[in-house]
C-alpha cells in the first residue's frame, strides 16, 4: 500500500496494539514491528512511535533499538519505556520510582507553547504504569508536562521533533490521549489521513488479484464477522475461484449451521456445508485442558479442510479470517517481545502434509475495523452487528470435558440469553455475550424435590476491540428474567450466575 505509514516499535507492552488502534482511528495507517526488526524506511513512513515495555532501561538485557536511521530523520513519539530509553541513552537519568506510579494522575503543569499539548488543559487525566521514573532530562530536552508525583511526565526536543511521555496516551483512561496523538500526527507530522475503509478495500482486492491470479482458494467460514468479510473481499477479487467451506463442528450455537449456511448462499457465495460433528466430538473425548482443546479442534479443522481441499481440483490456497488480536494473543507480535496469552486455532501455519499456502486478508485489522470494512462493502448490518464467537466454539465455554449432552444444554442456555438480549433491545449495547457451562453441580429444589444439577454462568462485556473489556451492568430485572427462563426451560440446570470480571485481569472467554 502506498499510504503514509506510522511505524510502531514494540518493546513488549500489552498496550502496543492500542497505539495502533489510536493511530488508525485518525485514518492513518500504522504497523507494529519488533524493536529489533525495524523495516526498511521509505518515503511513506511519516513518524515512529516507541511503545512501553515490561522491561526496565536499567536492566542489563533490556531492549535496545537501533535508531540511527530514525533519530533526527523522522519525528518520534516515545511512550513510557520508550521515553525512558531516549532520556537514559542521551544523557538523562532513570531511577526506580520512590512511590508506585500506576493508575490515574492529573497534569499539574503544561508548557502552553508545546504543539503536542495544544488544546489540552491542566488537570487532564492521564494513565501511569511504570516502576522507574525519569529523574533528569538530557540537556537539550525541554520539560513540557508534569503531574503532582511525576515531574518529567513529558518532554520534547524540537530540533529533532522528539517527544517523550511517561504516561500512556493510547489507553482510554488518558482522557485527552486521542487529542495528543492527533496533535503529534496531524500538527507535527503533517499526516494526510488517507487510510480509509474504502481505500483498504480497493488496495486489498488489487493485492489479492495480484497475489492469487487464477489460483483456487478454499476458505473456512465460521459464521462470524471476520471470516465472512474475508470471504466477501476474496469473492470480489477472484469470484468463482473461491470455494467456501462451512463446517458444523457440533460446537456452534443452536440452529446456527443451517441458518448461517442459508444466509451465505443468499449472499451469492460459493459455499458448501460439511457435517463433521461426530469427528470433533471424537477428538475431544476426555480432553479437559483448554489449550489441548484448542489444539485438538485446530488439528481436526485442518483434517477437514485437507479432505475438502483435495476434492477441489488444483486448489492452492487456504484463506482464513485471522485478525490482529488473534495474532497478538497467540504469539509475540512479528517475533517481538510481547507475552503470549493464548493460542488461536487459526494462527501458526499449516503442517507440511497440507500443501496449501495461507492468505489472510484481515490479519492487520482489529474487530471494529473489520466491521467498518464490511459496512463500506454494504454487507448486511445484522451480520456485521453479530457478537464475536470464538473459533473453537462452545468447546471453550464448556469447562472440563466435552459431551454432546453438555453441548445441548449450553446451546439451549445460550439461545435463551441471546434471544432475550435481542428482545429487550440490549444486544447492540453488548460487544460480546455468551454462556459458560461450569464444571460444578449444585443442590436445588424443584417441585418440593431435591435436585443436584449443573451451574451456568452468563457473560456480557463491552469493548471496542477485545483487547480490553468491562462487564456490562445488565438490569437486575432482566437478569432475573433470564435466570428464571433458563432454569425453567433447560433440563439439567438449576443455578445461574453472572460474571462481573473485566479484562484485564480476566479474559473475555473463560478458557
Amino acid at each position: 500500500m502506498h499510504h503514509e505509514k506510522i511505524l510502531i516499535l514494540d518493546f513488549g507492552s500489552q498496550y502496543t496494539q492500542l497505539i495502533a488502534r489510536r493511530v488508525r482511528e485518525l485514518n492513518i495507517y500504522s504497523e507494529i514491528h519488533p524493536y529489533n526488526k525495524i523495516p526498511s524506511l521509505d518515503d511513506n513512513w511519516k513518524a515512529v512511535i516507541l511503545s512501553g515495555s515490561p522491561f526496565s532501561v536499567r536492566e542489563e538485557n533490556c531492549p535496545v533499538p537501533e535508531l540511527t536511521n530514525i533519530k533526527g530523520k523522522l519525528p518520534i513519539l516515545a511512550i513510557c519505556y520508550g521515553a525512558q530509553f531516549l532520556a537514559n541513552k542521551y544523557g538523562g537519568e532513570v531511577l526506580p520510582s520512590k512511590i508506585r506510579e500506576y493508575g490515574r494522575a492529573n497534569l499539574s503543569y503544561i508548557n502552553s507553547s508545546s504543539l503536542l499539548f495544544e488544546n489540552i488543559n491542566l488537570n487532564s487525566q492521564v494513565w501511569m504504569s511504570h516502576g522507574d521514573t525519569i529523574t533528569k532530562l538530557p540537556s537539550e530536552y525541554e520539560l513540557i508536562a508534569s503531574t503532582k508525583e511525576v515531574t518529567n511526565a513529558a518532554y520534547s526536543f524540537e530540533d529533532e521533533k522528539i517527544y517523550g511521555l511517561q504516561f500512556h496516551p493510547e489507553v482510554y483512561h488518558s482522557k485527552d490521549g486521542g487529542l495528543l496523538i492527533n496533535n503529534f500526527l496531524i500538527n507535527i507530522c503533517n499526516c494526510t489521513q488517507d487510510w480509509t475503509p474504502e481505500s483498504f478495500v480497493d488496495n486489498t482486492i488489487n493485492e489479492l488479484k495480484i497475489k492469487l491470479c487464477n489460483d483456487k482458494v478454499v476458505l473456512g467460514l465460521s459464521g462470524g464477522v471476520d471470516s465472512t468479510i474475508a470471504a466477501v473481499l476474496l469473492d470480489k477479487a477472484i469470484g468463482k475461484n473461491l470455494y467456501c467451506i462451512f463446517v458444523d463442528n457440533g460446537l456452534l450455537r443452536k440452529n446456527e449451521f443451517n441458518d448461517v449456511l442459508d444466509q451465505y448462499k443468499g449472499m451469492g457465495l460459493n459455499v458448501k456445508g460439511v457435517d463433521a460433528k461426530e469427528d470433533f466430538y471424537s477428538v475431544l473425548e476426555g480432553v479437559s485442558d483448554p489449550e489441548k482443546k484448542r489444539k485438538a479442534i485446530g488439528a481436526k479443522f485442518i483434517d477437514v479442510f485437507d479432505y475438502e481441499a483435495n476434492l477441489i481440483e488444483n486448489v492452492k490456497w487456504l484463506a482464513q479470517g485471522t485478525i490482529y488480536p488473534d495474532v497478538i494473543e497467540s504469539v509475540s507480535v512479528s517475533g517481538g517481545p510481547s507475552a503470549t496469552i493464548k493460542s488461536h486455532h487459526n494462527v501458526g501455519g499449516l503442517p507440511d502434509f497440507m500443501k496449501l499456502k495461507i492468505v489472510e486478508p484481515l490479519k492487520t485489522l482489529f474487530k471494529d475495523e473489520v466491521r467498518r470494512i464490511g459496512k463500506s462493502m454494504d454487507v448486511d448490518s445484522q451480520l456485521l452487528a453479530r457478537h464475536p464467537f470464538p473459533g473453537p466454539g462452545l468447546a471453550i465455554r464448556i469447562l472440563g470435558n466435552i459431551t454432546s449432552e453438555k453441548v445441548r444444554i449450553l446451546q439451549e442456555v445460550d439461545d435463551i440469553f441471546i434471544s432475550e438480549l435481542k428482545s429487550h433491545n440490549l444486544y447492540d449495547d453488548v460487544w460480546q455475550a455468551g454462556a459458560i457451562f461450569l464444571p460444578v453441580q449444585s443442590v436445588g429444589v424443584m417441585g418440593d424435590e431435591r435436585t443436584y444439577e449443573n451451574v451456568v454462568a452468563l457473560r456480557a462485556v463491552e469493548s471496542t476491540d477485545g483487547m480490553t473489556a468491562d462487564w456490562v451492568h445488565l438490569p437486575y430485572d432482566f437478569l432475573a428474567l433470564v435466570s428464571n427462563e433458563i432454569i425453567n426451560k433447560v433440563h439439567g440446570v438449576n443455578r445461574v450466575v453472572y460474571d462481573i470480571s473485566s479484562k484485564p485481569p480476566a479474559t473475555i472467554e473463560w478458557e
Side-chain angles (χ1 to χ4, degrees):
M1 292 185 292
H2 299 293
H3 297 288
E4 295 178 341
K5 300 182 291 187
I6 304 302
L7 171 61
I8 300 169
L9 293 185
D10 178 27
F11 294 95
S13 171
Q14 292 300 328
Y15 293 150
T16 304
Q17 314 86 320
L18 300 182
I19 302 173
R21 284 202 66 257
R22 286 288 204 177
V23 174
R24 294 182 187 188
E25 286 172 357
L26 297 171
N27 291 332
I28 301 169
Y29 183 68
S30 62
E31 287 184 8
I32 298 174
H33 289 267
Y35 74 93
N36 55 355
K37 295 183 180 179
I38 299 175
S40 176
L41 300 178
D42 56 37
D43 292 340
N44 291 330
W45 295 102
K46 296 290 289 184
V48 176
I49 300 177
L50 308 183
S51 83
S53 176
F55 295 95
S56 165
V57 298
R58 299 177 299 103
E59 295 176 11
E60 183 178 348
N61 296 318
C62 69
V64 178
E66 175 51 64
L67 300 179
T68 302
N69 294 325
I70 295 174
K71 186 174 179 293
K73 300 174 183 177
L74 289 173
I76 296 175
L77 178 64
I79 297 171
C80 197
Y81 176 90
Q84 293 176 355
F85 171 80
L86 292 180
N88 187 65
K89 182 175 177 61
Y90 296 105
E93 183 180 62
V94 177
L95 295 175
S97 302
K98 293 182 179 180
I99 61 171
R100 188 167 182 258
E101 295 175 346
Y102 181 85
R104 294 171 177 85
N106 296 92
L107 296 177
S108 59
Y109 163 75
I110 293 176
N111 183 330
S112 59
S113 65
S114 172
L115 287 175
L116 191 66
F117 283 88
E118 186 175 355
N119 296 321
I120 296 177
N121 298 320
L122 277 177
N123 296 317
S124 178
Q125 179 179 290
V126 297
W127 185 260
M128 297 288 186
S129 180
H130 57 275
D132 294 339
T133 194
I134 302 170
T135 55
K136 185 179 76 173
L137 293 174
S139 58
E140 67 270 28
Y141 287 21
E142 180 183 8
L143 176 68
I144 55 175
S146 303
T147 68
K148 179 180 178 182
E149 302 292 347
V150 181
T151 300
N152 296 309
Y155 62 75
S156 67
F157 179 30
E158 289 292 343
D159 288 353
E160 294 186 358
K161 292 187 178 180
I162 291 176
Y163 299 84
L165 304 173
Q166 184 59 83
F167 58 89
H168 289 267
E170 70 272 25
V171 304
Y172 288 94
H173 300 294
S174 291
K175 298 301 184 183
D176 291 316
L179 175 57
L180 188 148
I181 294 174
N182 178 89
N183 288 342
F184 176 69
L185 296 175
I186 308 303
N187 298 349
I188 295 170
C189 303
N190 298 314
C191 292
T192 57
Q193 299 175 278
D194 63 350
W195 194 69
T196 63
E198 292 77 14
S199 68
F200 175 86
V201 170
D202 291 341
N203 286 329
T204 301
I205 291 173
N206 288 333
E207 289 175 352
L208 290 171
K209 287 179 178 179
I210 294 169
K211 183 174 186 176
L212 303 175
C213 297
N214 293 317
D215 291 349
K216 293 180 180 179
V217 179
V218 59
L219 166 65
L221 288 169
S222 69
V225 175
D226 304 331
S227 64
T228 301
I229 301 307
V232 174
L233 282 167
L234 284 158
D235 182 64
K236 290 180 178 294
I238 61 173
K240 59 182 176 58
N241 282 338
L242 173 65
Y243 294 77
C244 298
I245 308 296
F246 183 37
V247 176
D248 185 358
N249 60 5
L251 302 165
L252 301 173
R253 286 179 158 140
K254 183 178 178 181
N255 300 326
E256 186 170 29
F257 180 67
N258 291 327
D259 292 346
V260 173
L261 189 61
D262 289 342
Q263 187 176 27
Y264 282 143
K265 291 179 178 178
M267 294 169 61
L269 295 175
N270 177 20
V271 59
K272 175 183 179 181
V274 177
D275 184 350
K277 291 192 293 290
E278 297 306 319
D279 292 336
F280 282 88
Y281 289 158
S282 176
V283 298
L284 288 169
E285 185 175 357
V287 179
S288 298
D289 180 83
E291 279 296 289
K292 291 181 179 178
K293 285 183 192 177
R294 289 176 180 273
K295 292 184 184 303
I297 291 168
K300 180 50 63 177
F301 264 115
I302 288 174
D303 288 343
V304 171
F305 284 121
D306 186 49
Y307 177 81
E308 293 297 330
N310 284 325
L311 298 180
I312 305 169
E313 187 176 354
N314 296 324
V315 66
K316 294 183 179 180
W317 297 84
L318 172 65
Q320 296 186 139
T322 309
I323 62 172
Y324 219 1
D326 297 338
V327 177
I328 292 164
E329 290 194 337
S330 293
V331 293
S332 54
V333 178
S334 304
S338 297
T340 298
I341 299 172
K342 61 187 176 183
S343 66
H344 288 260
H345 77 279
N346 59 339
V347 177
L350 297 172
D352 291 338
F353 72 82
M354 195 171 184
K355 306 301 182 183
L356 295 178
K357 295 177 284 186
I358 294 179
V359 57
E360 297 168 313
L362 306 177
K363 68 183 297 184
T364 62
L365 299 182
F366 293 96
K367 178 71 73 173
D368 56 322
E369 293 178 310
V370 175
R371 289 197 170 100
R372 290 201 295 271
I373 297 303
K375 183 178 180 180
S376 75
M377 296 189 295
D378 296 322
V379 174
D380 184 85
S381 59
Q382 288 189 336
L383 193 154
L384 293 177
R386 291 188 67 188
H387 290 175
F389 189 65
L394 298 180
I396 59 169
R397 292 183 178 176
I398 297 173
L399 276 61
N401 67 309
I402 308 297
T403 67
S404 59
E405 176 62 8
K406 290 180 181 179
V407 173
R408 179 198 67 78
I409 290 173
L410 192 57
Q411 284 178 331
E412 296 291 340
V413 171
D414 179 86
D415 184 60
I416 290 172
F417 186 28
I418 298 301
S419 296
E420 292 296 342
L421 283 170
K422 291 179 178 177
S423 67
H424 285 77
N425 295 318
L426 292 168
Y427 185 82
D428 292 337
D429 295 334
V430 174
W431 191 79
Q432 183 171 341
I436 299 91
F437 188 103
L438 302 183
V440 294
Q441 292 183 309
S442 70
V443 174
V445 178
M446 291 184 179
D448 295 327
E449 293 185 1
R450 177 184 184 275
T451 63
Y452 192 60
E453 294 182 331
N454 300 290
V455 182
V456 295
L458 305 181
R459 179 80 157 136
V461 300
E462 55 186 4
S463 180
T464 55
D465 53 28
M467 300 308 301
T468 60
D470 201 3
W471 63 280
V472 177
H473 295 236
L474 293 174
Y476 288 157
D477 289 346
F478 172 80
L479 290 172
L481 181 150
V482 172
S483 175
N484 192 56
E485 285 283 296
I486 290 170
I487 292 172
N488 284 337
K489 293 183 178 180
V490 183
H491 179 72
V493 175
N494 71 354
R495 192 177 300 269
V496 177
V497 298
Y498 188 54
D499 183 350
I500 58 170
S501 308
S502 298
K503 176 185 180 181
T507 53
I508 295 176
E509 300 294 343
W510 280 43
E511 289 192 340

